[in-house]
Amino acid sequence: EVFTTKPQFTSVYPNFFTNAQFADKLIETVVGASATAEAKTEAKASVEAALALGGEWTRGKVIYQIFNNLANKAADDATWGATSKMMANQVAYAQYYTEEVLGDATDMAPLRAVIANVTATSGTTTADLAAALTPAPVAQTFTLTTDADNIIGTTNNDIFNAGESGGAATW
């Protein structure tokens, strides 16, 4: 409930959205292409109907119920299995980003990017997660001196700057 009052939520799901607009945006965001158009239409209608009841069915509670329902669907469920698997994979990517990469972004764009391309068939082994989420190594720049330098470069296209009488040379 508290999250639905935060700017990170209201910037995507503004308070002025009608129940139909909210349902449409929510299902498209959560489900994407992982379910059929028919399944998404039914889900949107269910969300809209729950919100129309008012009282107990707030936006926060509807979202909580959707995530619980999807988390409990079997991967081989004909209607929602792919969405359930995609969501489980997104959780694995988010967890790896937080716990292994030690991602500490608070801006929504980099956080959304972590799961943006995750699908029901995305690999979730440690190697898969590392390949997708570990930042690419950064090249280093070394400046050589006139003394004996003992510098060992990396495999990341490092730059070695060495001065010469006519100016600097880059190797």
Side-chain angles (χ1 to χ4, degrees), residues 4-5 30-31 33 38 43 46 48 69 72 77 90 92 108 112 114 118 122 124 130 145 159 164:
T4 63
T5 66
V30 172
V31 178
E38 180 181 73
S46 293
E48 192 173 351
N69 290 350
N72 290 310
D77 181 271
Q90 288 173 331
M108 292 304 289
R112 285 185 186 121
V114 169
V118 178
S122 295
T124 57
T145 67
I159 298 171
E164 62 179 329

Side-chain angles (χ1 to χ4, degrees), residues 85-96 118-133:
K85 182 66 176 154
M86 178 183 70
M87 188 177 80
N89 290 349
Q90 288 173 331
V91 168
Y93 276 66
Q95 183 175 359
Y96 186 89
V118 178
T119 67
T121 59
S122 295
T124 57
T125 66
T126 300
D128 294 330
L129 296 169
L133 298 175

Side-chain angles (χ1 to χ4, degrees), residues 30-48:
V30 172
V31 178
S34 66
T36 65
E38 180 181 73
K40 291 193 300 186
T41 298
E42 289 176 25
K44 291 173 189 178
S46 293
V47 168
E48 192 173 351

